Amino acid sequence: MFGNPGDKPFIGDFDGDGVDSIGLHRESTGLVYVRNTNDTGVAHFDFFYGNPGDRLVAADWNGDNKDSPAVFRPGNTTMYFRFTNTQGIADAKYIWGESHWVPVAGDFTSS
């Protein structure tokens, strides 16, 4: 078992090993839980990021081959990006979207 009812799942390669694994975001508190393996167990690490009600998504925002979180804050339609999987303030932000939008992440470049 991993997480609590109501936690929102997200995926990413959080340790840069080339394999995506699962994370959970507890929107009510901003707590982020991450596993670096795809098996049952407790979080390998956790930290707080964002405010209650933020919508979390993960991707490699800075090109270091490790996915880290960003949150979309509906109240001010701003994305807040964190470049490491640690608690702290945003490393970058971008005003974007409308309050009802849901963020997604992916590699949208053409090859």
Side-chain angles (χ1 to χ4, degrees), residues 3-110:
N4 290 335
D7 290 349
K8 303 263 175 95
F10 64 97
I11 60 165
D13 180 5
F14 308 109
D15 59 3
D17 67 355
V19 177
D20 286 346
S21 54
I22 192 165
L24 293 174
H25 180 233
R26 188 163 297 155
E27 287 184 354
S28 63
T29 63
L31 190 55
V32 177
Y33 296 95
V34 174
R35 283 197 52 80
N36 285 325
T37 57
N38 290 312
D39 54 7
T40 303
V42 298
H44 287 113
F45 59 92
D46 59 64
F47 56 94
F48 286 94
Y49 186 62
N51 292 337
D54 286 349
R55 300 171 188 156
L56 188 136
V57 64
D60 182 3
W61 308 116
N62 64 348
D64 69 353
N65 295 316
K66 294 180 183 179
D67 292 343
S68 57
V71 291
F72 177 67
R73 188 160 298 150
N76 63 4
T77 63
T78 301
M79 290 284 294
Y80 295 92
F81 301 90
R82 185 85 179 126
F83 296 157
T84 60
N85 287 303
T86 58
Q87 189 165 317
I89 62 170
D91 294 300
K93 67 180 182 176
Y94 183 74
I95 298 171
W96 169 82
E98 297 180 21
S99 62
H100 63 276
W101 287 12
V102 176
V104 297
D107 184 356
F108 301 106
T109 58
S110 59

